[in-house]
Amino acid sequence: MSTGSSPPAPKPHEDNLVALSGRAPVPVLSIVLPMHDEAANLDRLFAELEAVLARIGLEHEIVCVDDGSRDDTYARLRRHRDRNRRIKLVRFSRNFGKEAALTAGMRHAAGRAVVLMDSDLQHPPALIEDFVREWRAGGQMIYARRESRATDGPIRRRLTRLYYRLYHALSETDLPADAGDFRLLDRVVVDAVNALPERQRFMKGLMSWVGFRQVAVPYSPAERHAGASKFGLFRLMRLAMDGLASFSTLPLRVWSWVGLAVAVPAVVYGLFIAVRTLVFGVDVPGYASLMVTTLFLGGVQLICLGVMGDYLGRVFAEVKGRPTYLLAETAGFEQDQGAQPLDRAAAQ
Ligand code: UDP
Ligand code: MG
């Protein structure tokens, strides 16, 4: 794998290809935008993003992944694409989730560097300039580190902190604190992440697992421009569990220690009761302690079974081998998929 860290004028043969084929120029920078019901944010998002990209001045593409939106996100995206051909579109057949949308975006992006960012303007596009500067300085993964969590509610903030601590204790790879999905990845990192075969993808974890030269850039997230967050408490918990289960087997292994911790005192206590019975005779009362012990052990065993069931479910999902997402259509890529009524109408 080459270390393509400094950004790079297109290679001569790429220039020739472009000249010969008359195709769009090869992008240096790809912006990947996952979108689920973000129609109300698009105009402002593209206005700000395009201004920043014009300032940066690198050849670029904007890869929008419509993750099963139910509003008119895709129709509006098409209108933006008619205006700006650097905007490319990927549409899922239904909602597959943000991790799947990021995965699809990274697979479709052609740039030497790929920027992942939210489409609700919580990630200020201006930060991309800092990303590119760090990338030019040799960074291979430049991630935005949140200086404040003021945009999150108090419960979410507390749970997040607790989660990072738990993750740190359980997992072999660490999640850098306060790093979100807003980041720039060099092509080597994108290729490495794309090559990972797992289907349930916890992107933050995968990014930290692959390593490379990582650089943090501080920022304060803005408030969401329009609409509401799609990550309610339940969805966040599921993501959190996905993250832990993908990067740690400790929840599976811990039960032998729990078992040992219960069994050893039980043997000692058993011996104690046997001796006591021999010396003082049979002691009849004990209903309460029996009940507590039975319920406690029953509870521990059920939790253990539940954790095993969770991992088994994940193994089952991987073994079935269903893809992470299904495409309904794409627009702007060399081999576009699916029905494209607007393009076809234009060609006739
Ligand atoms: N998103 C997505 N699929 C989903 C949920 C969210 O592509 O199923 C996108 C969403 O459109 C946005 C980004 O992921 O661009 C972050 O989502 P959101 O703002 O709802 O999350 P939060 O900022 O609260 O973490
Ligand atoms: Mg958001």
Side-chain angles (χ1 to χ4, degrees), residues 129-161:
E129 288 181 88
D130 296 346
F131 285 178
V132 169
R133 196 175 321 118
E134 292 292 339
W135 179 48
R136 289 201 157 117
Q140 291 175 307
M141 185 184 319
I142 295 91
Y143 61 89
R145 194 181 54 219
R146 302 167 65 136
E147 291 286 83
S148 98
R149 288 194 169 265
T151 54
D152 287 351
I155 298 179
R156 181 165 171 177
R157 222 162 22 204
R158 206 154 297 156
L159 283 178
T160 312
R161 201 171 323 133

PDB file of all heavy atoms in Angstrom, residues 129-161:
ATOM      1  N   GLU A 129     -11.326  23.197   5.257  1.00  0.00           N
ATOM      2  CA  GLU A 129     -10.066  23.868   4.908  1.00  0.00           C
ATOM      3  C   GLU A 129      -8.950  23.451   5.868  1.00  0.00           C
ATOM      4  O   GLU A 129      -7.819  23.203   5.458  1.00  0.00           O
ATOM      5  CB  GLU A 129     -10.255  25.388   4.961  1.00  0.00           C
ATOM      6  CG  GLU A 129     -11.084  25.908   3.806  1.00  0.00           C
ATOM      7  CD  GLU A 129     -11.245  27.422   3.860  1.00  0.00           C
ATOM      8  OE1 GLU A 129     -10.373  28.115   3.300  1.00  0.00           O
ATOM      9  OE2 GLU A 129     -12.227  27.889   4.465  1.00  0.00           O
ATOM     10  N   ASP A 130      -9.288  23.375   7.166  1.00  0.00           N
ATOM     11  CA  ASP A 130      -8.281  22.926   8.146  1.00  0.00           C
ATOM     12  C   ASP A 130      -7.898  21.473   7.888  1.00  0.00           C
ATOM     13  O   ASP A 130      -6.736  21.096   8.001  1.00  0.00           O
ATOM     14  CB  ASP A 130      -8.833  23.052   9.577  1.00  0.00           C
ATOM     15  CG  ASP A 130      -9.122  24.490   9.955  1.00  0.00           C
ATOM     16  OD1 ASP A 130      -8.642  25.378   9.220  1.00  0.00           O
ATOM     17  OD2 ASP A 130      -9.828  24.737  10.947  1.00  0.00           O
ATOM     18  N   PHE A 131      -8.898  20.651   7.560  1.00  0.00           N
ATOM     19  CA  PHE A 131      -8.626  19.242   7.256  1.00  0.00           C
ATOM     20  C   PHE A 131      -7.600  19.142   6.132  1.00  0.00           C
ATOM     21  O   PHE A 131      -6.623  18.404   6.209  1.00  0.00           O
ATOM     22  CB  PHE A 131      -9.900  18.533   6.789  1.00  0.00           C
ATOM     23  CG  PHE A 131     -10.884  18.211   7.888  1.00  0.00           C
ATOM     24  CD1 PHE A 131     -12.088  17.601   7.576  1.00  0.00           C
ATOM     25  CD2 PHE A 131     -10.600  18.490   9.201  1.00  0.00           C
ATOM     26  CE1 PHE A 131     -13.000  17.292   8.564  1.00  0.00           C
ATOM     27  CE2 PHE A 131     -11.509  18.184  10.201  1.00  0.00           C
ATOM     28  CZ  PHE A 131     -12.715  17.580   9.869  1.00  0.00           C
ATOM     29  N   VAL A 132      -7.862  19.908   5.069  1.00  0.00           N
ATOM     30  CA  VAL A 132      -6.998  19.807   3.889  1.00  0.00           C
ATOM     31  C   VAL A 132      -5.590  20.285   4.232  1.00  0.00           C
ATOM     32  O   VAL A 132      -4.600  19.692   3.798  1.00  0.00           O
ATOM     33  CB  VAL A 132      -7.597  20.597   2.709  1.00  0.00           C
ATOM     34  CG1 VAL A 132      -6.607  20.728   1.569  1.00  0.00           C
ATOM     35  CG2 VAL A 132      -8.880  19.917   2.229  1.00  0.00           C
ATOM     36  N   ARG A 133      -5.500  21.316   5.082  1.00  0.00           N
ATOM     37  CA  ARG A 133      -4.174  21.803   5.480  1.00  0.00           C
ATOM     38  C   ARG A 133      -3.419  20.699   6.222  1.00  0.00           C
ATOM     39  O   ARG A 133      -2.254  20.422   5.944  1.00  0.00           O
ATOM     40  CB  ARG A 133      -4.328  23.044   6.365  1.00  0.00           C
ATOM     41  CG  ARG A 133      -3.040  23.820   6.505  1.00  0.00           C
ATOM     42  CD  ARG A 133      -3.203  25.126   7.282  1.00  0.00           C
ATOM     43  NE  ARG A 133      -4.433  25.821   6.980  1.00  0.00           N
ATOM     44  CZ  ARG A 133      -5.389  26.071   7.877  1.00  0.00           C
ATOM     45  NH1 ARG A 133      -5.254  25.673   9.123  1.00  0.00           N
ATOM     46  NH2 ARG A 133      -6.484  26.705   7.533  1.00  0.00           N
ATOM     47  N   GLU A 134      -4.094  20.034   7.152  1.00  0.00           N
ATOM     48  CA  GLU A 134      -3.448  18.959   7.907  1.00  0.00           C
ATOM     49  C   GLU A 134      -3.088  17.780   7.001  1.00  0.00           C
ATOM     50  O   GLU A 134      -2.092  17.099   7.203  1.00  0.00           O
ATOM     51  CB  GLU A 134      -4.355  18.475   9.048  1.00  0.00           C
ATOM     52  CG  GLU A 134      -4.570  19.478  10.151  1.00  0.00           C
ATOM     53  CD  GLU A 134      -3.298  19.743  10.948  1.00  0.00           C
ATOM     54  OE1 GLU A 134      -2.385  18.896  10.913  1.00  0.00           O
ATOM     55  OE2 GLU A 134      -3.203  20.806  11.590  1.00  0.00           O
ATOM     56  N   TRP A 135      -3.937  17.551   6.023  1.00  0.00           N
ATOM     57  CA  TRP A 135      -3.688  16.458   5.085  1.00  0.00           C
ATOM     58  C   TRP A 135      -2.434  16.759   4.274  1.00  0.00           C
ATOM     59  O   TRP A 135      -1.554  15.903   4.102  1.00  0.00           O
ATOM     60  CB  TRP A 135      -4.904  16.309   4.158  1.00  0.00           C
ATOM     61  CG  TRP A 135      -4.791  15.231   3.127  1.00  0.00           C
ATOM     62  CD1 TRP A 135      -4.393  13.934   3.329  1.00  0.00           C
ATOM     63  CD2 TRP A 135      -5.097  15.347   1.733  1.00  0.00           C
ATOM     64  NE1 TRP A 135      -4.443  13.242   2.152  1.00  0.00           N
ATOM     65  CE2 TRP A 135      -4.865  14.093   1.155  1.00  0.00           C
ATOM     66  CE3 TRP A 135      -5.549  16.394   0.917  1.00  0.00           C
ATOM     67  CZ2 TRP A 135      -5.064  13.843  -0.203  1.00  0.00           C
ATOM     68  CZ3 TRP A 135      -5.755  16.139  -0.422  1.00  0.00           C
ATOM     69  CH2 TRP A 135      -5.508  14.882  -0.980  1.00  0.00           C
ATOM     70  N   ARG A 136      -2.330  18.002   3.827  1.00  0.00           N
ATOM     71  CA  ARG A 136      -1.140  18.414   3.066  1.00  0.00           C
ATOM     72  C   ARG A 136       0.109  18.284   3.929  1.00  0.00           C
ATOM     73  O   ARG A 136       1.186  18.003   3.436  1.00  0.00           O
ATOM     74  CB  ARG A 136      -1.275  19.863   2.612  1.00  0.00           C
ATOM     75  CG  ARG A 136      -2.296  20.034   1.522  1.00  0.00           C
ATOM     76  CD  ARG A 136      -2.027  21.323   0.777  1.00  0.00           C
ATOM     77  NE  ARG A 136      -2.590  21.282  -0.551  1.00  0.00           N
ATOM     78  CZ  ARG A 136      -3.552  22.102  -0.973  1.00  0.00           C
ATOM     79  NH1 ARG A 136      -4.042  23.010  -0.167  1.00  0.00           N
ATOM     80  NH2 ARG A 136      -4.009  22.003  -2.201  1.00  0.00           N
ATOM     81  N   ALA A 137      -0.077  18.498   5.261  1.00  0.00           N
ATOM     82  CA  ALA A 137       1.072  18.408   6.163  1.00  0.00           C
ATOM     83  C   ALA A 137       1.435  16.956   6.466  1.00  0.00           C
ATOM     84  O   ALA A 137       2.373  16.702   7.214  1.00  0.00           O
ATOM     85  CB  ALA A 137       0.763  19.159   7.449  1.00  0.00           C
ATOM     86  N   GLY A 138       0.675  16.023   5.925  1.00  0.00           N
ATOM     87  CA  GLY A 138       1.063  14.624   6.073  1.00  0.00           C
ATOM     88  C   GLY A 138       0.119  13.772   6.899  1.00  0.00           C
ATOM     89  O   GLY A 138       0.365  12.587   7.083  1.00  0.00           O
ATOM     90  N   GLY A 139      -0.944  14.332   7.430  1.00  0.00           N
ATOM     91  CA  GLY A 139      -1.906  13.524   8.193  1.00  0.00           C
ATOM     92  C   GLY A 139      -2.664  12.586   7.259  1.00  0.00           C
ATOM     93  O   GLY A 139      -2.933  12.939   6.114  1.00  0.00           O
ATOM     94  N   GLN A 140      -2.984  11.400   7.745  1.00  0.00           N
ATOM     95  CA  GLN A 140      -3.722  10.462   6.898  1.00  0.00           C
ATOM     96  C   GLN A 140      -5.176  10.331   7.315  1.00  0.00           C
ATOM     97  O   GLN A 140      -6.015   9.913   6.543  1.00  0.00           O
ATOM     98  CB  GLN A 140      -3.043   9.087   6.935  1.00  0.00           C
ATOM     99  CG  GLN A 140      -1.705   9.121   6.225  1.00  0.00           C
ATOM    100  CD  GLN A 140      -0.971   7.815   6.362  1.00  0.00           C
ATOM    101  OE1 GLN A 140      -0.780   7.313   7.459  1.00  0.00           O
ATOM    102  NE2 GLN A 140      -0.554   7.258   5.243  1.00  0.00           N
ATOM    103  N   MET A 141      -5.450  10.632   8.577  1.00  0.00           N
ATOM    104  CA  MET A 141      -6.843  10.681   9.010  1.00  0.00           C
ATOM    105  C   MET A 141      -6.995  11.893   9.912  1.00  0.00           C
ATOM    106  O   MET A 141      -6.417  11.952  10.988  1.00  0.00           O
ATOM    107  CB  MET A 141      -7.232   9.420   9.762  1.00  0.00           C
ATOM    108  CG  MET A 141      -8.702   9.429  10.086  1.00  0.00           C
ATOM    109  SD  MET A 141      -9.261   8.048  11.066  1.00  0.00           S
ATOM    110  CE  MET A 141      -8.435   6.667  10.400  1.00  0.00           C
ATOM    111  N   ILE A 142      -7.723  12.886   9.444  1.00  0.00           N
ATOM    112  CA  ILE A 142      -7.877  14.108  10.224  1.00  0.00           C
ATOM    113  C   ILE A 142      -9.310  14.129  10.727  1.00  0.00           C
ATOM    114  O   ILE A 142     -10.246  14.140   9.925  1.00  0.00           O
ATOM    115  CB  ILE A 142      -7.569  15.355   9.375  1.00  0.00           C
ATOM    116  CG1 ILE A 142      -6.091  15.361   8.963  1.00  0.00           C
ATOM    117  CG2 ILE A 142      -7.817  16.624  10.176  1.00  0.00           C
ATOM    118  CD1 ILE A 142      -5.773  14.714   7.687  1.00  0.00           C
ATOM    119  N   TYR A 143      -9.486  14.054  12.032  1.00  0.00           N
ATOM    120  CA  TYR A 143     -10.852  14.024  12.546  1.00  0.00           C
ATOM    121  C   TYR A 143     -11.156  15.251  13.387  1.00  0.00           C
ATOM    122  O   TYR A 143     -10.265  15.828  13.999  1.00  0.00           O
ATOM    123  CB  TYR A 143     -11.121  12.737  13.345  1.00  0.00           C
ATOM    124  CG  TYR A 143     -10.252  12.550  14.556  1.00  0.00           C
ATOM    125  CD1 TYR A 143     -10.634  13.051  15.801  1.00  0.00           C
ATOM    126  CD2 TYR A 143      -9.066  11.854  14.464  1.00  0.00           C
ATOM    127  CE1 TYR A 143      -9.846  12.865  16.918  1.00  0.00           C
ATOM    128  CE2 TYR A 143      -8.265  11.665  15.572  1.00  0.00           C
ATOM    129  CZ  TYR A 143      -8.652  12.171  16.791  1.00  0.00           C
ATOM    130  OH  TYR A 143      -7.860  11.993  17.894  1.00  0.00           O
ATOM    131  N   ALA A 144     -12.423  15.648  13.352  1.00  0.00           N
ATOM    132  CA  ALA A 144     -12.851  16.807  14.118  1.00  0.00           C
ATOM    133  C   ALA A 144     -13.157  16.355  15.539  1.00  0.00           C
ATOM    134  O   ALA A 144     -13.893  15.400  15.746  1.00  0.00           O
ATOM    135  CB  ALA A 144     -14.094  17.416  13.491  1.00  0.00           C
ATOM    136  N   ARG A 145     -12.532  17.040  16.511  1.00  0.00           N
ATOM    137  CA  ARG A 145     -12.799  16.701  17.910  1.00  0.00           C
ATOM    138  C   ARG A 145     -13.685  17.767  18.516  1.00  0.00           C
ATOM    139  O   ARG A 145     -13.363  18.953  18.488  1.00  0.00           O
ATOM    140  CB  ARG A 145     -11.493  16.590  18.693  1.00  0.00           C
ATOM    141  CG  ARG A 145     -11.719  15.912  20.038  1.00  0.00           C
ATOM    142  CD  ARG A 145     -10.465  15.804  20.841  1.00  0.00           C
ATOM    143  NE  ARG A 145      -9.843  17.103  20.986  1.00  0.00           N
ATOM    144  CZ  ARG A 145      -8.524  17.311  20.947  1.00  0.00           C
ATOM    145  NH1 ARG A 145      -7.713  16.310  20.734  1.00  0.00           N
ATOM    146  NH2 ARG A 145      -8.037  18.518  21.101  1.00  0.00           N
ATOM    147  N   ARG A 146     -14.816  17.332  19.062  1.00  0.00           N
ATOM    148  CA  ARG A 146     -15.777  18.301  19.609  1.00  0.00           C
ATOM    149  C   ARG A 146     -15.237  18.936  20.867  1.00  0.00           C
ATOM    150  O   ARG A 146     -14.874  18.261  21.806  1.00  0.00           O
ATOM    151  CB  ARG A 146     -17.086  17.580  19.925  1.00  0.00           C
ATOM    152  CG  ARG A 146     -17.688  16.897  18.757  1.00  0.00           C
ATOM    153  CD  ARG A 146     -18.778  15.951  19.216  1.00  0.00           C
ATOM    154  NE  ARG A 146     -19.864  16.689  19.806  1.00  0.00           N
ATOM    155  CZ  ARG A 146     -21.147  16.444  19.565  1.00  0.00           C
ATOM    156  NH1 ARG A 146     -21.481  15.475  18.760  1.00  0.00           N
ATOM    157  NH2 ARG A 146     -22.082  17.151  20.130  1.00  0.00           N
ATOM    158  N   GLU A 147     -15.209  20.258  20.859  1.00  0.00           N
ATOM    159  CA  GLU A 147     -14.769  20.992  22.041  1.00  0.00           C
ATOM    160  C   GLU A 147     -15.913  21.119  23.035  1.00  0.00           C
ATOM    161  O   GLU A 147     -15.701  21.292  24.213  1.00  0.00           O
ATOM    162  CB  GLU A 147     -14.293  22.392  21.663  1.00  0.00           C
ATOM    163  CG  GLU A 147     -13.012  22.380  20.877  1.00  0.00           C
ATOM    164  CD  GLU A 147     -11.803  22.057  21.743  1.00  0.00           C
ATOM    165  OE1 GLU A 147     -11.538  20.868  21.984  1.00  0.00           O
ATOM    166  OE2 GLU A 147     -11.135  22.986  22.167  1.00  0.00           O
ATOM    167  N   SER A 148     -17.149  21.088  22.510  1.00  0.00           N
ATOM    168  CA  SER A 148     -18.283  21.180  23.428  1.00  0.00           C
ATOM    169  C   SER A 148     -19.379  20.229  22.960  1.00  0.00           C
ATOM    170  O   SER A 148     -19.459  19.906  21.783  1.00  0.00           O
ATOM    171  CB  SER A 148     -18.814  22.612  23.455  1.00  0.00           C
ATOM    172  OG  SER A 148     -19.933  22.730  22.610  1.00  0.00           O
ATOM    173  N   ARG A 149     -20.171  19.794  23.906  1.00  0.00           N
ATOM    174  CA  ARG A 149     -21.307  18.958  23.569  1.00  0.00           C
ATOM    175  C   ARG A 149     -22.599  19.700  23.875  1.00  0.00           C
ATOM    176  O   ARG A 149     -23.620  19.102  24.219  1.00  0.00           O
ATOM    177  CB  ARG A 149     -21.260  17.641  24.323  1.00  0.00           C
ATOM    178  CG  ARG A 149     -20.189  16.724  23.816  1.00  0.00           C
ATOM    179  CD  ARG A 149     -20.330  15.314  24.305  1.00  0.00           C
ATOM    180  NE  ARG A 149     -19.426  14.462  23.561  1.00  0.00           N
ATOM    181  CZ  ARG A 149     -19.782  13.778  22.498  1.00  0.00           C
ATOM    182  NH1 ARG A 149     -21.004  13.846  22.047  1.00  0.00           N
ATOM    183  NH2 ARG A 149     -18.910  13.019  21.870  1.00  0.00           N
ATOM    184  N   ALA A 150     -22.542  21.026  23.754  1.00  0.00           N
ATOM    185  CA  ALA A 150     -23.692  21.843  24.126  1.00  0.00           C
ATOM    186  C   ALA A 150     -24.914  21.521  23.277  1.00  0.00           C
ATOM    187  O   ALA A 150     -26.046  21.730  23.701  1.00  0.00           O
ATOM    188  CB  ALA A 150     -23.333  23.319  24.000  1.00  0.00           C
ATOM    189  N   THR A 151     -24.699  20.989  22.067  1.00  0.00           N
ATOM    190  CA  THR A 151     -25.849  20.713  21.207  1.00  0.00           C
ATOM    191  C   THR A 151     -26.559  19.414  21.593  1.00  0.00           C
ATOM    192  O   THR A 151     -27.629  19.131  21.089  1.00  0.00           O
ATOM    193  CB  THR A 151     -25.426  20.622  19.732  1.00  0.00           C
ATOM    194  OG1 THR A 151     -24.381  19.660  19.620  1.00  0.00           O
ATOM    195  CG2 THR A 151     -24.949  21.963  19.215  1.00  0.00           C
ATOM    196  N   ASP A 152     -25.958  18.614  22.460  1.00  0.00           N
ATOM    197  CA  ASP A 152     -26.618  17.392  22.933  1.00  0.00           C
ATOM    198  C   ASP A 152     -27.373  17.677  24.230  1.00  0.00           C
ATOM    199  O   ASP A 152     -26.967  18.529  25.015  1.00  0.00           O
ATOM    200  CB  ASP A 152     -25.583  16.305  23.236  1.00  0.00           C
ATOM    201  CG  ASP A 152     -24.989  15.732  21.968  1.00  0.00           C
ATOM    202  OD1 ASP A 152     -25.511  16.062  20.884  1.00  0.00           O
ATOM    203  OD2 ASP A 152     -24.026  14.964  22.059  1.00  0.00           O
ATOM    204  N   GLY A 153     -28.439  16.940  24.452  1.00  0.00           N
ATOM    205  CA  GLY A 153     -29.163  17.082  25.721  1.00  0.00           C
ATOM    206  C   GLY A 153     -28.336  16.508  26.854  1.00  0.00           C
ATOM    207  O   GLY A 153     -27.364  15.788  26.626  1.00  0.00           O
ATOM    208  N   PRO A 154     -28.717  16.821  28.134  1.00  0.00           N
ATOM    209  CA  PRO A 154     -27.906  16.379  29.279  1.00  0.00           C
ATOM    210  C   PRO A 154     -27.838  14.851  29.405  1.00  0.00           C
ATOM    211  O   PRO A 154     -26.790  14.311  29.765  1.00  0.00           O
ATOM    212  CB  PRO A 154     -28.618  16.998  30.485  1.00  0.00           C
ATOM    213  CG  PRO A 154     -29.955  17.436  29.993  1.00  0.00           C
ATOM    214  CD  PRO A 154     -29.846  17.656  28.531  1.00  0.00           C
ATOM    215  N   ILE A 155     -28.943  14.161  29.094  1.00  0.00           N
ATOM    216  CA  ILE A 155     -28.935  12.698  29.231  1.00  0.00           C
ATOM    217  C   ILE A 155     -27.977  12.103  28.220  1.00  0.00           C
ATOM    218  O   ILE A 155     -27.131  11.259  28.533  1.00  0.00           O
ATOM    219  CB  ILE A 155     -30.348  12.126  29.008  1.00  0.00           C
ATOM    220  CG1 ILE A 155     -31.291  12.678  30.072  1.00  0.00           C
ATOM    221  CG2 ILE A 155     -30.321  10.606  29.065  1.00  0.00           C
ATOM    222  CD1 ILE A 155     -32.710  12.185  29.934  1.00  0.00           C
ATOM    223  N   ARG A 156     -28.084  12.578  26.964  1.00  0.00           N
ATOM    224  CA  ARG A 156     -27.224  12.046  25.914  1.00  0.00           C
ATOM    225  C   ARG A 156     -25.755  12.317  26.244  1.00  0.00           C
ATOM    226  O   ARG A 156     -24.888  11.480  26.022  1.00  0.00           O
ATOM    227  CB  ARG A 156     -27.595  12.682  24.572  1.00  0.00           C
ATOM    228  CG  ARG A 156     -26.758  12.162  23.429  1.00  0.00           C
ATOM    229  CD  ARG A 156     -27.350  12.498  22.078  1.00  0.00           C
ATOM    230  NE  ARG A 156     -26.408  12.154  21.032  1.00  0.00           N
ATOM    231  CZ  ARG A 156     -26.665  12.271  19.744  1.00  0.00           C
ATOM    232  NH1 ARG A 156     -27.829  12.702  19.336  1.00  0.00           N
ATOM    233  NH2 ARG A 156     -25.761  11.940  18.854  1.00  0.00           N
ATOM    234  N   ARG A 157     -25.493  13.514  26.821  1.00  0.00           N
ATOM    235  CA  ARG A 157     -24.116  13.877  27.140  1.00  0.00           C
ATOM    236  C   ARG A 157     -23.547  12.926  28.186  1.00  0.00           C
ATOM    237  O   ARG A 157     -22.436  12.407  28.057  1.00  0.00           O
ATOM    238  CB  ARG A 157     -24.101  15.306  27.685  1.00  0.00           C
ATOM    239  CG  ARG A 157     -22.962  16.093  27.125  1.00  0.00           C
ATOM    240  CD  ARG A 157     -23.118  17.575  27.260  1.00  0.00           C
ATOM    241  NE  ARG A 157     -24.020  18.037  28.285  1.00  0.00           N
ATOM    242  CZ  ARG A 157     -24.619  19.221  28.257  1.00  0.00           C
ATOM    243  NH1 ARG A 157     -24.406  20.027  27.251  1.00  0.00           N
ATOM    244  NH2 ARG A 157     -25.427  19.603  29.208  1.00  0.00           N
ATOM    245  N   ARG A 158     -24.361  12.661  29.216  1.00  0.00           N
ATOM    246  CA  ARG A 158     -23.881  11.818  30.306  1.00  0.00           C
ATOM    247  C   ARG A 158     -23.679  10.382  29.816  1.00  0.00           C
ATOM    248  O   ARG A 158     -22.671   9.741  30.097  1.00  0.00           O
ATOM    249  CB  ARG A 158     -24.895  11.850  31.453  1.00  0.00           C
ATOM    250  CG  ARG A 158     -24.261  11.564  32.767  1.00  0.00           C
ATOM    251  CD  ARG A 158     -25.038  12.198  33.913  1.00  0.00           C
ATOM    252  NE  ARG A 158     -25.079  13.647  33.869  1.00  0.00           N
ATOM    253  CZ  ARG A 158     -26.048  14.366  34.452  1.00  0.00           C
ATOM    254  NH1 ARG A 158     -27.031  13.769  35.077  1.00  0.00           N
ATOM    255  NH2 ARG A 158     -26.015  15.682  34.402  1.00  0.00           N
ATOM    256  N   LEU A 159     -24.659   9.896  29.038  1.00  0.00           N
ATOM    257  CA  LEU A 159     -24.554   8.532  28.532  1.00  0.00           C
ATOM    258  C   LEU A 159     -23.334   8.381  27.628  1.00  0.00           C
ATOM    259  O   LEU A 159     -22.644   7.367  27.669  1.00  0.00           O
ATOM    260  CB  LEU A 159     -25.821   8.160  27.751  1.00  0.00           C
ATOM    261  CG  LEU A 159     -27.032   7.812  28.604  1.00  0.00           C
ATOM    262  CD1 LEU A 159     -28.237   7.506  27.729  1.00  0.00           C
ATOM    263  CD2 LEU A 159     -26.723   6.613  29.490  1.00  0.00           C
ATOM    264  N   THR A 160     -23.074   9.422  26.799  1.00  0.00           N
ATOM    265  CA  THR A 160     -21.934   9.345  25.899  1.00  0.00           C
ATOM    266  C   THR A 160     -20.640   9.215  26.683  1.00  0.00           C
ATOM    267  O   THR A 160     -19.778   8.389  26.361  1.00  0.00           O
ATOM    268  CB  THR A 160     -21.850  10.619  25.025  1.00  0.00           C
ATOM    269  OG1 THR A 160     -23.133  10.869  24.481  1.00  0.00           O
ATOM    270  CG2 THR A 160     -20.853  10.453  23.911  1.00  0.00           C
ATOM    271  N   ARG A 161     -20.526  10.029  27.754  1.00  0.00           N
ATOM    272  CA  ARG A 161     -19.300   9.989  28.540  1.00  0.00           C
ATOM    273  C   ARG A 161     -19.110   8.607  29.159  1.00  0.00           C
ATOM    274  O   ARG A 161     -18.034   8.013  29.113  1.00  0.00           O
ATOM    275  CB  ARG A 161     -19.338  11.072  29.626  1.00  0.00           C
ATOM    276  CG  ARG A 161     -17.942  11.400  30.113  1.00  0.00           C
ATOM    277  CD  ARG A 161     -17.880  12.607  31.037  1.00  0.00           C
ATOM    278  NE  ARG A 161     -18.795  13.671  30.692  1.00  0.00           N
ATOM    279  CZ  ARG A 161     -19.576  14.295  31.590  1.00  0.00           C
ATOM    280  NH1 ARG A 161     -19.575  13.917  32.849  1.00  0.00           N
ATOM    281  NH2 ARG A 161     -20.365  15.275  31.216  1.00  0.00           N
TER     282      ARG A 161
END
